[in-house]
Amino acid sequence: MNLEKIMIDLERKHPGEAEYLQAVREVLESIEEVVNTNPQFESAGIIERIIEPDRILTFKVPWVDDHGRVQVNLGYRVQFNNALGPYKGGLRFHPSVNLSILKFLGFEQIFKNSLTTLPIGGAKGGSDFDPKGKSDGEIMRFCQAFMLELWKMIGPEIDVPAGDIGVGGKEIGYLYGMYKKLVREHNGVLTGKGLNWGGSLIRPEATGFGAVYFAQEMLATKEMTFDGKTVCLSGFGNVAWGAALKVNELGGKVVTLSGPDGYVYDPDGISGEKILYMLELRASNQDIVKPYTYEFPGAQFHQGKRPWEVKCDVAIPCATQNELDKEDAMKLIHNGCICVAEGANMPSTPEAIEVFHEKKLLFAPGKAVNAGGVATSGLEMSQNAMKFNWPREEVDNRLHHIMQSIHATCVKHGTEEDGYINYVKGANVAGFLKVANAMLDQGIL
Ligand code: NDP
């Protein structure tokens, strides 16, 4: 494989799509060896085919705000690859959303979904709509308008969207309501649904739980556990709150949370009522990080800073892409951090990952660590298909088992000669092989 040529071609076709190009390069670099030793992939053009989405739908979303003004947002669905099963991947509502970000997320989703062992392909979608500060009525009208276009492209055997940044249970409810009305069927097409109308137990906390189960396996390779460990988290959304709950349950202490404007450091630990308080603020659609320090005066707010300067044993970035750079990586290592598990998608910059690898840190990428979210969405699809709900323990046990199996797969494909586990390589190679072999079997499409 001529990686540089492929990247030059891709940059020429998609100029300025920085996040997408970054994600493709990261994957190609780590699968180069496996592609070069399997000439059948090259002759079937697997690489050229896997790096381009199957199709992209772009649409306008007109809606009316509470003042009667017409607003227009952009909507997207990127269907990347369905070699393993129906397209599957979340919807992100955030002002930063653009095609580059959705293509990076959709591309990553192919390999993540492959790692889960479930029959699901990769996709992503969303809008530049910002739910923050909007009333419930505005969010509902926006979601309904968004679905008026999206429904044509999705279906339980075609494409099954879920939540992501800015899309939680409330948004999924409004989206599903409109979809159901349009298709006149209750077919469970979205995941992350309410528990009393087709949702799965554990789904809301699954990504965070799964991330901590994965980090637990990473620590176990060094004969360590979470017990007594200090943990830095970033963000406080769907992923971070589940992670905070599970770290506490396993005896660790969470000392940071963050938002776009800074982070909170609470040396006493963020647990119990503090987590519940954050959830209440979140549900009311407010800025949540700063008010924490008014409610719990032992905590400090650090304006404009990231939590990676705080001394910790384990760091779990759970906010957004490129939120941990080289300088942050060096600070973490300097302060004695032993493990970085990415709860978010691509939170570490390539330079930060280089530092982690150079220093032989336990470091694992989002596509492995946060795969518990989509895996539990897969379990929600299975339950919907069976018209049956598994109890909490059953879903949690399956999630735990899936995360252990993803970890074992990464170890199998990522262990280097000196015994260091390169989780980036392990996850990319394992995820890629399964999809590439399926594409070979299915012919040139
Ligand atoms: P949420 O919107 O629920 O939470 C994101 C959190 O990060 C919020 O607390 C947000 O603060 C904060 N945040 C946003 N931008 C920044 C920033 N620049 N610096 C610091 N904090 C920031 O999203 P999710 O928890 O769903 O997703 C988080 C990450 O995990 C994303 O990368 C997503 O793709 C990934 N992921 C999510 C899955 C899921 O199941 N939800 C599954 C797999 C991956 P505020 O609300 O104040 O803006």
Side-chain angles (χ1 to χ4, degrees):
M1 163 171 75
N2 186 339
L3 195 151
E4 287 313 319
K5 182 176 178 310
I6 291 171
M7 288 309 302
I8 288 168
D9 281 353
L10 202 66
E11 281 174 46
R12 186 178 46 75
K13 283 190 223 163
H14 309 286
E17 296 194 355
E19 295 84 359
Y20 167 52
L21 295 167
Q22 177 184 340
V24 172
R25 177 176 283 280
E26 185 226 86
V27 170
L28 295 193
E29 278 174 354
S30 54
I31 61 170
E32 197 171 5
E33 192 186 323
V34 94
V35 174
N36 288 340
T37 47
N38 285 278
Q40 70 277 22
F41 294 149
E42 190 138 20
S43 52
I46 296 289
I47 296 300
E48 289 77 3
R49 288 196 283 139
I50 209 170
I51 60 180
E52 288 286 353
D54 288 351
R55 67 194 63 80
I56 299 172
L57 174 70
T58 310
F59 48 98
K60 72 168 185 267
V61 189
W63 57 282
V64 180
D65 70 17
D66 285 349
H67 307 287
R69 287 187 299 247
V70 177
Q71 304 283 345
V72 181
N73 287 97
L74 289 177
Y76 308 88
R77 185 68 178 166
V78 181
Q79 294 183 332
F80 231 107
N81 186 296
N82 66 351
L84 298 182
Y87 300 104
K88 176 100 195 89
L91 297 172
R92 177 176 291 192
F93 292 169
H94 192 271
S96 66
V97 162
N98 58 37
L99 209 45
S100 169
I101 290 183
L102 296 179
K103 282 165 72 179
F104 123 63
L105 290 164
F107 182 68
E108 289 281 291
Q109 198 82 41
I110 306 171
F111 307 100
K112 181 190 307 192
N113 292 2
S114 163
L115 285 171
T116 65
T117 70
L118 302 172
I120 39 184
K124 202 79 190 186
S127 170
D128 60 355
F129 172 76
D130 187 0
K132 210 182 257 179
K134 302 286 190 305
S135 70
D136 266 8
E138 289 177 320
I139 292 175
M140 181 182 76
R141 290 193 294 281
F142 173 79
C143 289
Q144 291 175 339
F146 184 86
M147 189 51 86
L148 266 175
E149 282 296 327
L150 184 71
W151 75 279
K152 299 166 198 162
M153 270 194 109
I154 62 177
E157 300 299 332
I158 303 168
D159 183 349
V160 184
D164 189 75
I165 292 179
V167 180
K170 178 175 21 184
E171 290 77 15
I172 292 289
Y174 294 144
L175 290 163
Y176 189 73
M178 191 54 158
Y179 174 82
K180 179 172 66 73
K181 197 172 174 82
L182 289 164
V183 299
R184 298 180 298 123
E185 258 186 27
H186 213 311
N187 61 24
V189 74
L190 297 162
T191 56
K193 298 186 289 296
L195 292 180
N196 50 352
W197 46 275
S200 172
L201 286 159
I202 303 276
R203 177 61 190 92
E205 52 275 70
T207 311
F209 275 21
V212 176
Y213 289 146
F214 194 94
Q216 195 181 18
E217 295 299 309
M218 294 167 79
L219 291 172
T221 64
K222 303 277 181 200
E223 285 158 20
M224 289 187 283
T225 67
F226 266 104
D227 198 24
K229 297 280 182 303
T230 301
V231 179
C232 281
L233 297 184
S234 61
F236 194 73
N238 298 319
V239 181
W241 82 271
L245 283 179
K246 192 51 86 178
V247 167
N248 276 289
E249 198 185 305
L250 297 178
K253 181 157 92 166
V254 175
V255 292
T256 63
L257 297 174
S258 72
D261 49 347
Y263 77 89
V264 160
Y265 171 55
D266 186 342
D268 299 330
I270 300 164
S271 62
E273 52 153 355
K274 294 176 176 174
I275 295 180
L276 292 178
Y277 171 74
M278 299 292 275
L279 281 178
E280 269 169 39
L281 286 180
R282 242 193 114 61
S284 62
N285 229 1
Q286 293 177 51
D287 179 18
I288 59 166
V289 176
K290 209 168 180 182
Y292 182 98
T293 51
Y294 310 145
E295 189 74 13
F296 304 107
Q300 305 140 20
F301 180 67
H302 296 264
Q303 180 91 32
K305 292 194 156 181
R306 294 160 164 177
W308 318 125
E309 59 188 18
V310 172
K311 186 171 168 45
C312 66
D313 303 302
V314 180
I316 313 184
C318 297
T320 192
Q321 63 274 0
N322 294 328
E323 55 156 321
L324 193 166
D325 63 17
K326 182 176 178 179
E327 208 183 311
D328 297 320
M330 288 183 344
K331 278 186 206 157
L332 282 168
I333 291 172
H334 177 76
N335 285 332
C337 176
I338 46 173
C339 174
V340 177
E342 294 188 334
N345 283 313
M346 210 168 75
S348 313
T349 63
E351 296 77 24
I353 296 174
E354 222 174 287
V355 171
F356 294 143
H357 281 162
E358 248 169 48
K359 300 287 178 193
K360 307 271 176 198
L361 200 83
L362 285 175
F363 167 75
K367 67 170 72 70
V369 178
N370 68 34
V374 71
T376 309
S377 280
L379 300 178
E380 182 173 329
M381 289 162 73
S382 307
Q383 293 170 80
N384 291 163
M386 291 188 300
K387 308 257 184 271
F388 186 75
N389 282 339
W390 287 320
R392 194 176 170 84
E393 297 74 52
E394 169 125 25
V395 182
D396 198 14
N397 285 341
R398 285 178 188 266
L399 168 65
H400 198 166
H401 179 76
I402 289 171
M403 297 316 296
Q404 285 172 324
S405 126
I406 297 174
H407 183 270
T409 306
C410 290
V411 171
K412 179 174 164 202
H413 292 276
T415 304
E416 296 180 340
E417 274 173 16
D418 62 358
Y420 177 64
I421 305 164
N422 183 332
Y423 286 93
V424 174
K425 183 176 174 201
N428 286 336
V429 168
F432 168 75
L433 279 175
K434 198 168 153 200
V435 180
N437 284 318
M439 288 171 75
L440 273 185
D441 292 347
Q442 293 167 17
I444 314 285
L445 298 164

